[in-house]
Amino acid sequence: MARDLFKNRDNKGYLFILPYFLAMLTFQLYPIFYTFYLSFLKPVSLIKNEFAGFENYARLLKNPLFYTAIGNTWFIWLMNYIPQIVFALLLAVILTNPKIKGRETFRTVYFLPNLVTAASIGVLFAVLLDWRFGALNHALIKIGIFNEPYEWLQDKMATRMAVALIQWWQWFGYTMIIFMAGLSGISDELYEAAHIDGASASQSFFKVTLPLLKPTMLYVMVTSLIGGLQIFDIPRVLTNGRGGPDNALTTIVLYLYNQGFKNFNLGYASALAYALFVMILVFSAISFKIIKTRD
Amino acid sequence: MINKKRILSSTLLLLMVALVSFSVIGCKKEEAPKAAEAVEAKVMARTDYAGDIVVWSFTDELQDMIPMFEEEYPGIKVEFVVIPNADEVYLNKINTTLRSRSATPDAFTGEAAFYKQFINAGYWEPISKAPYNAEDLVKDLVPYVPNSSRNADGEITALSWQATPGALFYRRGLAREVLGTDDPAEVSKWTSDLNKFYELGEKVKETTNGEKYLLAGFSDMSQFIFNLRDTPYIVDNKLVIPQGMLDYMKIAKDMRDNGIESGTTTWQPPWFSSMKDGSVMCYILPTWGLHYVLKPNAEPEADKGEKEFSGDWGLAVPPASYSWGGTWIGINALSEKKDLAWEIVKYLGSDEGFLEKWAKKTGDFVSNTKVIEKITPTFSEPFLGGQNHYEYFAAEANKIDVSHRGPWDFQIENAWGDQVSLYASGNKSFDDAVEDFKKAVSEILPDVDVQ
C-alpha cells in the first residue's frame, strides 16, 4: 500500500518531510500532551501514580511559593534585561563605527562570557562570594570598606542581584552582536540623507537608527523574555540546587525541576510547566502587540 | 489533487492515532514491577555460571571489585556502567529506566540517601526467600546492613559490602598544642561529650588566638545529630521535629558566634581545602570518609601509598554514635538474568574471601562480621599514626540503629540544614527558622501535616 501511495511522483515529497514530522510528533507534540496528562496525577511511590484531578493546579494557585517563584524570575529578568539592552545598544553603536580602533578585539572580549557554560560561572561566583574565603570579602576588608566578612549568599537581595549581574555579564555581548547585525542592515544612504538634511548624531540615532532597529529589538525582547522566564542553571549551581536563602533564588524552572526530579512529584511539576507555558505565551503575545502597534 | 490531500490527512490521522495510543500505553505503565516467580534452586559451582550481565552504579568503587568477581566466576562477563549522581542524574536515570520497564541493568546500586525510595517502589527484587535465601547470610553480617534494606513485607532487597559507622578524625599536632597530648583515649575524653566538645573548641580558639578552629563548619555535626533521634520524621502522616535537631540549631549559632567553627559548609570547596591548610582540628566523618575524603584532600600523597605522609591524624570518639552513607546493591526486579545478578550481589555483599581481600586492599570497613573479627587484631593505619581504626569501627557498627530512616530523610535533612545556616548566620529568628522548615517539608511532601 505504501508503495502505491508513493508511486506517484507528486507524492514523493511527503516522504522527504516525513522524518521531521515524526521527530516533531515524538519529541515535541507527544511530550506536550503527556505533560498535560501527567499534571493530573500525583505520586504514590517513585513508580506509581494516582489520578488527582485538578489537585495539582489547585495546590499551585494556593501556594505562596509559586508566586514567590514568579516574582523572583521576573525580578531577576528585569534587573538584568534593562542594563543589558542599554549596554548592548550603546556598545553596538560604538563598535560599528569604523573610526574605533581594535573593534574586533572588543567584540570578542565582550562576547567571551557567553561561551562559558552557566555551570562553571555558577561555581566561579559561588567561590568568589563565599563569605569566609571568597575573594570579594577579602578585597572589601583589605580596602577597608568592610570590617568583617559579609554573608552574601545568605542575603536574599544580594543573591538575586548577583544572579542578575551574572546574567547581564554573560548576555550583553550576545545581544550586542545581534544589534550589530541589525545596525549593519541599515543602509548608509539613510544616514547620508539625514546628514545632508542637517541632522545631528543624536538625531540620526533616535530618528533613523532606533526606528529601523525595531524588528531586532522585538527579536531580542522575545528571546530574552523566554530565556529569562526559564532561568535555571545559575540559581541552581549558586545555591546547591535548593534555591536558598529561603527560596530567594527559586525561579519557576528551578521550582519545577526540584519538584519533578528531586521530590519526584511529576504531576505537580507538570502543572508548573503548564503555568509557565501559559505565562510565556501571554507575554510573548503582549510584546509582539506593543512593538507592532508602534510601527 | 484530491489524492494528495487524502494521503496527507490519512498520514496525519495515522500519526495522531499512534500518538494517542502511545500515551495510553504510557498510562498503563504506572505499576510497580512484580517479583519474579521463584526459580528452582540448583546447586551450582561458581564456574558453572555463564552469561553477560550489566551493572549500574553511581560510584566507581565497583570498578576494582568486578575483576575480582570475574576471576571467581570466569563464565560471567560484567558490563559495568558508572553514572555519577551529581544533580540526581543517577537517581533519575534509574527512575526512567525502571518506569519504562527495562530489564537492563541486571543489578544496580543505591545509596543511603535514596535507596529507601527504590525499596518502596519495588525496584529491587526481594531476596529473602528461595532461590536467593539471603536470610541465611544475615547471621554473618553487621545486622543493620541487610535489615535496613527490608521492604514493607519484611524482605531483604539488597546487600552491601560495607558498614558505615562514624568517627571523629583529628590533627595530632593541634591536639598536642591544645591538650598537651595526642593520645586517642585522652582526646576522646574531650570529644565524646557534646558539652566537653564545645569546651575543647574554646580551648582551641584561646590557644591559637582564634587562628584555628575546632570544626570546619557546624554542618559537619549534622550527621550524628540526625542519627540521635528516636523517631522517624513522619509519624502517622505528621511531621515530627526531634528535640536534638532543635538543640543542634542553637549549638550551631553559638559555634558561629564564638568562632569555634571556621564557617565553611560540608562538601563546599573551602571545606575540602581546610583539610590541607591545617586550620581545623576535627572532622566528623565515617569509615569511607577516611579513605575517600580525608586522605586524598588532607595529604594527597597518603592515598598513593607513598611514605612521605606525616601520620598527623588520629581517630577519636565523636559526641554520638552515627552512621553516614553506604552503598547497597540489589537485583533489578525486571532483570531476565536474576540468577547471575544474584551471584554478584551475594559475592559483593557477603563473600568472606572477597571482603577480606577488599578490606586489606582499601582499608574500607566491610559488612561481614567474620571478616571483621579476623582482620581486626592485625590492622594498623599509617595515615592515623598506626592506629587501629578497625577495632573502633567494629565496636561502633553494632550500635547503629537505622530503623527510623525514611525515604525522604535526605531532602528533609537538607531543608533543616538550610534553616540552621540562616539562623546561625543571624539572618533569621529561631521560630521563623522552624516555621520555614515546616513550609519546606510541605513542598517535599504536600500531603503531610506539618503543624
Side-chain angles (χ1 to χ4, degrees):
Chain A
M1 188 198 139
R3 196 179 282 174
D4 291 343
L5 212 67
F6 295 111
K7 225 172 201 173
N8 186 344
R9 199 160 177 267
D10 291 348
N11 291 342
K12 283 200 172 117
Y14 294 119
L15 212 56
F16 286 96
I17 60 167
L18 191 64
Y20 166 76
F21 282 98
L22 279 180
M24 197 268 287
L25 289 171
T26 324
F27 296 112
Q28 293 186 344
L29 208 57
Y30 169 67
I32 289 174
F33 284 121
Y34 191 59
T35 305
F36 189 61
Y37 161 73
L38 274 179
S39 71
F40 294 105
L41 298 182
K42 83 183 203 187
V44 178
S45 74
L46 285 184
I47 207 161
K48 247 200 229 156
N49 283 310
E50 63 184 21
F51 190 72
F54 285 95
E55 202 179 296
N56 288 325
Y57 290 99
R59 179 184 164 201
L60 189 81
L61 295 174
K62 274 189 288 183
N63 194 338
L65 186 53
F66 173 61
Y67 299 103
T68 310
I70 295 177
N72 289 338
T73 311
W74 275 98
F75 182 83
I76 292 167
W77 181 69
L78 281 173
M79 277 300 155
N80 96 78
Y81 179 70
I82 296 165
Q84 181 188 320
I85 201 152
V86 171
F87 247 79
L89 193 58
L90 200 70
L91 286 171
V93 171
I94 294 172
L95 294 181
T96 38
N97 187 340
K99 283 179 209 152
I100 306 288
K101 274 180 191 156
R103 288 186 298 156
E104 270 70 28
T105 320
F106 280 112
R107 283 182 209 175
T108 317
V109 169
Y110 292 138
F111 188 69
L112 269 181
N114 201 254
L115 299 175
V116 187
T117 58
S120 350
I121 293 178
V123 172
L124 172 73
F125 273 83
V127 173
L128 285 176
L129 294 173
D130 186 88
W131 80 281
R132 270 272 293 141
F133 302 96
L136 182 64
N137 276 340
H138 272 286
L140 288 174
I141 291 171
K142 202 132 211 185
I143 305 169
I145 295 176
F146 283 4
N147 288 325
E148 50 182 41
Y150 186 70
E151 294 201 48
W152 300 101
L153 293 175
Q154 297 278 25
D155 181 315
K156 286 183 168 192
M157 189 48 81
T159 43
R160 282 194 202 117
M161 291 307 285
V163 174
L165 179 83
I166 294 169
Q167 290 290 102
W168 166 79
W169 171 71
Q170 204 187 348
W171 286 97
F172 80 84
Y174 173 84
T175 311
M176 179 190 79
I177 300 280
I178 303 283
F179 278 141
M180 283 165 85
L183 285 174
S184 66
I186 300 172
S187 161
D188 283 342
E189 287 164 20
L190 292 172
Y191 289 108
E192 275 165 32
H195 186 70
I196 291 163
D197 288 346
S200 68
S202 65
Q203 269 173 329
S204 62
F205 174 76
F206 285 107
K207 306 271 168 162
V208 180
T209 313
L210 268 190
L212 289 170
L213 262 184
K214 246 181 198 171
T216 319
M217 293 273 232
L218 171 70
Y219 173 77
V220 169
M221 171 101 182
V222 174
T223 49
S224 169
L225 181 77
I226 294 173
L229 289 181
Q230 294 180 7
I231 182 171
F232 164 71
D233 28 27
I234 302 274
R236 180 177 155 66
V237 180
L238 208 55
T239 64
N240 222 346
R242 297 208 289 279
D246 264 335
N247 294 310
L249 284 188
T250 300
T251 59
I252 305 171
V253 182
L254 184 60
Y255 187 35
L256 185 161
Y257 177 87
N258 284 345
Q259 283 295 338
F261 303 107
K262 265 191 165 169
N263 302 341
F264 299 104
N265 191 343
L266 284 177
Y268 187 58
S270 303
L272 272 167
Y274 263 86
L276 181 61
F277 172 68
V278 169
M279 216 183 317
I280 290 178
L281 204 68
V282 168
F283 284 103
S284 301
I286 291 174
S287 46
F288 266 101
K289 193 101 195 168
I290 292 172
I291 305 243
K292 264 220 167 134
T293 47
R294 281 202 189 154
D295 266 345
Chain B
M1 242 13 214
I2 297 161
N3 197 15
K4 241 193 245 176
K5 253 186 200 165
R6 203 196 300 156
I7 292 164
L8 186 67
S9 54
S10 57
T11 318
L12 274 177
L13 190 74
L14 211 75
L15 286 169
M16 288 310 283
V17 169
L19 200 73
V20 170
S21 52
F22 214 5
S23 22
V24 173
I25 296 164
C27 318
K28 283 185 181 163
K29 275 180 196 161
E30 306 283 339
E31 304 159 21
K34 279 193 201 102
E37 297 94 68
V39 185
E40 206 183 313
K42 279 177 262 171
V43 184
M44 282 170 82
R46 288 184 168 182
T47 44
D48 294 344
Y49 291 97
D52 296 347
I53 54 170
V54 179
V55 175
W56 284 5
S57 179
F58 59 93
T59 145
D60 59 3
E61 267 173 280
L62 280 81
Q63 203 108 55
D64 299 327
M65 300 177 176
I66 284 168
M68 295 159 94
F69 170 76
E70 285 177 324
E71 207 174 291
E72 293 280 322
Y73 291 81
I76 302 182
K77 180 96 193 60
V78 182
E79 187 195 321
F80 178 54
V81 184
V82 184
I83 304 154
N85 197 38
D87 301 342
E88 290 84 32
V89 170
Y90 176 73
L91 192 48
N92 281 298
K93 174 98 178 162
I94 292 286
N95 255 331
T96 42
T97 308
L98 274 111
R99 270 168 203 259
S100 68
R101 313 190 68 72
S102 168
T104 309
D106 299 289
F108 58 92
T109 62
E111 207 244 348
F114 54 78
Y115 76 116
K116 288 268 174 184
Q117 297 182 343
F118 288 180
I119 297 166
N120 271 5
Y123 286 176
W124 276 331
E125 172 89 355
I127 49 177
S128 278
K129 294 183 195 135
Y132 315 107
N133 298 316
E135 296 291 347
D136 299 346
L137 304 168
V138 170
K139 62 178 188 336
D140 291 336
L141 300 176
V142 173
Y144 93 90
V145 175
N147 285 345
S148 67
S149 82
R150 287 182 194 276
N151 62 17
D153 299 329
E155 290 188 284
I156 298 170
T157 59
L159 297 176
S160 174
W161 54 90
Q162 58 185 183
T164 56
L168 181 146
F169 300 97
Y170 64 95
R171 273 195 182 269
R172 285 176 185 261
L174 202 50
R176 280 195 296 274
E177 203 181 321
V178 176
L179 296 172
T181 172
D182 65 2
D183 179 34
E186 286 300 312
V187 175
S188 292
K189 284 181 189 162
W190 288 90
T191 57
S192 56
D193 174 272
L194 200 51
N195 292 324
K196 286 283 258 183
F197 189 54
Y198 195 94
E199 237 177 88
L200 176 65
E202 285 175 331
K203 264 172 118 65
V204 173
K205 188 182 155 191
E206 277 163 32
T207 321
T208 65
N209 288 325
E211 277 171 16
K212 292 186 179 179
Y213 304 90
L214 177 72
L215 284 174
F218 54 73
S219 57
D220 283 8
M221 296 192 298
S222 54
Q223 288 304 326
F224 70 75
I225 302 282
F226 296 148
N227 272 258
L228 270 177
R229 67 203 157 99
D230 50 9
T231 157
Y233 294 121
I234 311 294
V235 181
D236 298 330
N237 214 32
K238 268 190 172 164
L239 175 69
V240 180
I241 306 176
Q243 184 58 40
M245 282 170 53
L246 298 167
D247 296 342
Y248 161 54
M249 198 180 262
K250 289 177 179 152
I251 295 168
K253 185 163 174 58
D254 289 345
M255 283 193 160
R256 171 64 56 88
D257 290 348
N258 293 332
I260 283 175
E261 50 91 88
S262 84
T264 72
T265 307
T266 318
W267 302 124
Q268 295 295 314
W271 183 73
F272 285 110
S273 57
S274 74
M275 292 179 177
K276 196 166 186 171
D277 65 21
S279 63
V280 172
M281 181 169 169
C282 301
Y283 290 90
I284 297 167
L285 289 166
T287 49
W288 48 266
L290 170 65
H291 306 289
Y292 301 110
V293 183
L294 193 58
K295 266 192 198 178
N297 287 295
E299 275 145 313
E301 65 278 16
D303 207 39
K304 289 183 194 129
E306 287 168 22
K307 288 194 177 131
E308 294 101 52
F309 61 82
S310 60
D312 190 33
W313 291 89
L315 182 154
V317 181
S321 296
Y322 67 99
S323 91
W324 183 2
T327 305
W328 278 257
I329 183 164
I331 306 166
N332 180 354
L334 302 164
S335 166
E336 281 153 13
K337 295 170 186 164
K338 288 186 185 139
D339 52 336
L340 300 182
W342 165 239
E343 289 305 314
I344 191 165
V345 169
K346 187 172 65 174
Y347 181 80
L348 297 181
S350 71
D351 188 86
E352 279 174 42
F354 160 70
L355 291 172
E356 189 180 337
K357 267 189 257 169
W358 184 249
K360 284 182 174 159
K361 186 179 168 192
T362 62
D364 199 8
F365 190 76
V366 294
S367 59
N368 186 306
T369 48
K370 278 189 181 166
V371 178
I372 296 170
E373 271 166 39
K374 193 171 166 192
I375 63 177
T376 296
T378 59
F379 234 81
S380 161
E381 172 63 58
F383 182 78
L384 298 176
Q387 207 177 336
N388 183 348
H389 64 292
Y390 241 79
E391 199 174 46
Y392 169 77
F393 285 132
E396 280 301 293
N398 292 318
K399 294 185 197 162
I400 296 175
D401 175 14
V402 290
S403 56
H404 305 306
R405 239 182 228 175
W408 297 99
D409 288 9
F410 186 63
Q411 275 91 336
I412 292 172
E413 287 166 358
N414 277 341
W416 185 254
D418 288 346
Q419 296 305 328
V420 172
S421 298
L422 284 164
Y423 172 66
S425 59
N427 281 306
K428 189 182 268 198
S429 76
F430 185 80
D431 293 336
D432 284 349
V434 175
E435 253 343 279
D436 288 338
F437 166 70
K438 290 178 181 170
K439 277 187 209 153
V441 172
S442 70
E443 284 298 324
I444 301 163
L445 299 162
D447 292 333
V448 165
D449 177 12
V450 296
Q451 283 317 305

